[in-house]
Amino acid sequence: MPKSQVRKKKVYTPPTDVRPTATASTRKPSPVWLPVTAVTLIVVGIGWLVLYYLSEQAYPVASWGYWNLAVGFGAMVSSLILLSRWR
């Protein structure tokens, strides 16, 4: 039985206008304040929510009502946004 021909494929190289300009090795590491701030926001957000529930909605700010939930969850979401920029 005859052997089939082996086709040689060209190696794919993406066009230069599609390539990323900065590679992971050339990026600078994150500043020290970024993870510290993110962890602080997580702790403050959880603390805010725990205080709100344990005080039966009297603290931290009684006049805000359910907006206290928005403050607690907003702090935690903002920490996640900060952590997404951490390298």
Side-chain angles (χ1 to χ4, degrees):
M1 178 161 260
K3 233 181 177 186
S4 62
Q5 283 187 335
V6 178
R7 295 184 216 165
K8 292 188 177 183
K9 293 184 179 181
K10 294 181 180 179
V11 177
Y12 174 75
T13 55
T16 57
D17 57 337
V18 179
R19 290 183 190 165
T21 56
T23 61
S25 62
T26 60
R27 292 182 182 170
K28 294 180 183 177
S30 297
V32 175
W33 62 265
L34 195 137
V36 172
T37 305
V39 170
T40 303
L41 281 172
I42 289 174
V43 170
V44 167
I46 292 172
W48 191 283
L49 292 175
V50 167
L51 181 64
Y52 177 69
Y53 278 114
L54 290 181
S55 69
E56 296 178 357
Q57 301 150 357
Y59 294 107
V61 183
S63 63
W64 287 0
Y66 287 112
W67 283 104
N68 284 305
L69 295 174
V71 171
F73 284 115
M76 291 189 292
V77 168
S78 61
S79 72
L80 289 175
I81 292 170
L82 276 177
L83 285 175
S84 70
R85 299 184 173 270
W86 188 24
R87 287 183 229 127

